[in-house]
Amino acid sequence: MADSGTDTGAGHTTGAGALAPRGGFGRLWCAAAVSRFGDALRGTALPLLAYALTDSPLLISLVTACGFVPWLLFGLLGGAVADQVDQRRAMWAVDVLRGLLMAGFAVAVALDRAGIGLLLALSFALTTLQTLFDNAATALLPAVVPKERLAAANARLMTGQELAGRFVGGPLAPVLIALGAALPFLADAATYFVAAALVASLRTGTPPRRPAAAGRTVRREMSEGIRQLWRDRVLRAFCVSVALGNVGIGALIATLVVVVKDRLGAGDFGYAVVTTGYGIGMVAGGLLASRTIALVGGKGRTLLLAGVLQAVTLVGFGTLRSVWLAALLLGLFGFAGMVWNVLEMTAVQQRSPAGMLGRISSAFRTVSVAGTPLGALCGGAAATAYGPGAPVLLAAALLALGTVALTPVLQTADGAPSDSGQIPPTGR
């Protein structure tokens, strides 16, 4: 394998242990935190706006579904492009465009011109741009952080995002909504511009490029990423597991506002309490991920425990009716989910051959996210047919099934190399 940053399309380092220019990770961390703060404002305000516009759980869930469909249509293309361009420039350009879209939407909300159709279009457009941004961000990190520190860097990035989103953005959203329905979306637009400036200030060097081979096409580049993903037993199993789980997650997040408001009888404050509880768990999971893995006794066992804990907590959330208990259960759910996410992202980054991280991560995301829009629609249908608690129990069952799908490779996930020596082991 090549050193971190060599032939990744993200930048350059002088060796496996070398760091990017001083302050690079700090600015990347700040950009991620600022952007997540804006996402939290929008993520809280958008379903509340949808709830105010319609009383149909199916239409509300459709807003969430439209936020995932672009991954099926453009996810692989985004990964192929991310491997061929300067990831830093792609990220800040995308953020500028997303900031302009959000500013326009804020104006529409202020003028009372935002209907369900506009919400659907916004969700679709933002995620279409995100397919390039996320794949570029995944490929950029190894150019800023040496490979042996990727797990810790992923944990710090995810923890910072949750701190900014759940502890600041989430609780602040109802306050901004009370002051003006357009304010959360206007603030979100501003965070995109700030994040773009931070990413643009990174100095990772001119991305090295391999000479273009004759006959190479975008379609062939995408196919190569899919084939490489399929050859790796651990990543292949992760994909199947996460795809199953994401059907359940789609059902949960698409109807969460319905569950909290209709089943638990809570208002906007109660909704913020529940989502903040989830965020507290996510932050704790990021801070304690390494210690949790060491305490449990390996990555494979940790993944198994995290999957079981997520399923059990959702069963409790779907059967009990206390807002505060719901916040506690979702906190445990978030803790387990963060530990899982750290291990998942690190595995993708460490097991991907040099120069293919964008394509492999896009193939992984496309396959794993494929079930989310389906889950969102199933969640809306289940809530309509069987009541607001049904999507939560559906999510619990699918997350349990996803954990079972991963069990054949849990021992391999503790560090054994995959099929080819070209792919680095997952050990930290």
Side-chain angles (χ1 to χ4, degrees), residues 269-368:
F269 177 76
Y271 182 72
V273 166
V274 170
T275 55
T276 301
Y278 172 74
I280 292 173
M282 291 284 283
V283 170
L287 294 174
L288 301 175
S290 297
R291 293 183 182 180
T292 301
I293 295 167
L295 180 64
V296 174
K299 297 177 183 177
R301 292 180 181 178
T302 305
L303 286 166
L304 178 61
L305 180 61
V308 171
L309 182 59
Q310 284 191 301
V312 170
T313 53
L314 285 188
V315 169
F317 180 51
T319 54
L320 302 173
R321 292 181 177 271
S322 166
V323 171
W324 296 104
L325 187 56
L328 174 62
L329 289 170
L330 281 193
L332 293 173
F333 179 80
F335 179 93
M338 175 61 88
V339 173
W340 180 291
N341 289 343
V342 168
L343 290 172
E344 173 195 312
M345 180 62 69
T346 304
V348 172
Q349 290 169 330
Q350 291 187 334
R351 299 184 77 90
S352 298
M356 293 190 65
L357 182 51
R359 282 168 285 169
I360 291 176
S361 67
S362 70
F364 185 95
R365 283 189 174 100
T366 299
V367 174
S368 62

Side-chain angles (χ1 to χ4, degrees), residues 80-113:
V81 172
D83 276 339
Q84 299 300 318
V85 301
D86 184 331
Q87 286 96 0
R88 178 183 61 86
R89 292 180 180 177
M91 288 170 65
W92 69 254
V94 166
D95 264 352
V96 168
L97 185 53
R98 291 195 290 186
L100 293 173
L101 285 174
M102 284 307 306
F105 181 75
V107 171
V109 172
L111 297 176
D112 199 21
R113 297 296 181 89

Side-chain angles (χ1 to χ4, degrees), residues 44-418:
T44 301
L46 203 61
L48 292 173
L49 179 60
Y51 186 87
L53 292 172
T54 178
D55 58 359
S56 169
L58 190 58
L59 282 177
I60 294 173
S61 65
L62 191 60
V63 174
T64 299
C66 280
F68 288 97
V69 168
W71 275 106
L72 306 181
L73 301 177
F74 310 115
L76 294 174
L77 177 61
V81 172
D83 276 339
Q84 299 300 318
V85 301
D86 184 331
Q87 286 96 0
R88 178 183 61 86
R89 292 180 180 177
M91 288 170 65
W92 69 254
V94 166
D95 264 352
V96 168
L97 185 53
R98 291 195 290 186
L100 293 173
L101 285 174
M102 284 307 306
F105 181 75
V107 171
V109 172
L111 297 176
D112 199 21
R113 297 296 181 89
I116 286 293
L118 185 58
L119 268 65
L120 296 176
L122 178 74
S123 296
F124 187 88
L126 290 176
T127 305
T128 298
L129 293 169
Q130 188 178 356
T131 60
L132 174 57
F133 183 93
D134 283 2
N135 288 314
T138 299
L140 178 65
L141 185 60
V144 179
V145 178
K147 64 181 183 295
E148 66 271 13
R149 295 177 58 189
L150 280 173
N154 282 316
R156 287 175 63 189
L157 277 173
M158 294 179 187
T159 302
Q161 288 174 315
E162 288 303 315
L163 282 168
R166 302 295 179 177
F167 292 156
V168 184
L172 184 60
V175 177
L176 292 181
I177 292 172
L179 296 175
L183 284 180
F185 306 110
L186 187 61
D188 187 29
T191 62
Y192 277 129
F193 295 130
V194 173
L198 287 167
V199 173
S201 71
L202 291 173
R203 293 293 178 264
T204 55
T206 302
R209 293 286 181 264
R210 289 178 179 172
R216 299 293 290 185
T217 63
V218 172
R219 185 174 182 178
R220 184 173 177 181
E221 295 283 344
M222 293 189 296
S223 298
E224 193 175 82
I226 295 172
R227 286 196 301 271
Q228 190 64 54
L229 174 64
W230 186 255
R231 293 189 190 113
D232 189 301
R233 290 182 63 245
V234 173
L235 296 185
R236 186 172 68 232
F238 258 120
C239 259
V240 174
S241 175
V242 175
L244 287 169
N246 276 351
V247 177
I249 294 297
L252 176 65
I253 62 177
T255 58
L256 184 59
V257 66
V258 178
V259 174
V260 173
K261 284 179 167 285
D262 291 354
R263 188 172 186 281
L264 301 181
D268 290 356
F269 177 76
Y271 182 72
V273 166
V274 170
T275 55
T276 301
Y278 172 74
I280 292 173
M282 291 284 283
V283 170
L287 294 174
L288 301 175
S290 297
R291 293 183 182 180
T292 301
I293 295 167
L295 180 64
V296 174
K299 297 177 183 177
R301 292 180 181 178
T302 305
L303 286 166
L304 178 61
L305 180 61
V308 171
L309 182 59
Q310 284 191 301
V312 170
T313 53
L314 285 188
V315 169
F317 180 51
T319 54
L320 302 173
R321 292 181 177 271
S322 166
V323 171
W324 296 104
L325 187 56
L328 174 62
L329 289 170
L330 281 193
L332 293 173
F333 179 80
F335 179 93
M338 175 61 88
V339 173
W340 180 291
N341 289 343
V342 168
L343 290 172
E344 173 195 312
M345 180 62 69
T346 304
V348 172
Q349 290 169 330
Q350 291 187 334
R351 299 184 77 90
S352 298
M356 293 190 65
L357 182 51
R359 282 168 285 169
I360 291 176
S361 67
S362 70
F364 185 95
R365 283 189 174 100
T366 299
V367 174
S368 62
V369 169
T372 308
L374 173 63
L377 295 176
C378 289
T384 301
Y386 302 106
V392 183
L393 298 179
L394 174 63
L398 288 166
L399 282 165
L401 187 60
T403 302
V404 171
L406 189 61
T407 52
V409 298
L410 288 179
Q411 186 174 358
T412 306
D414 277 324
S418 60

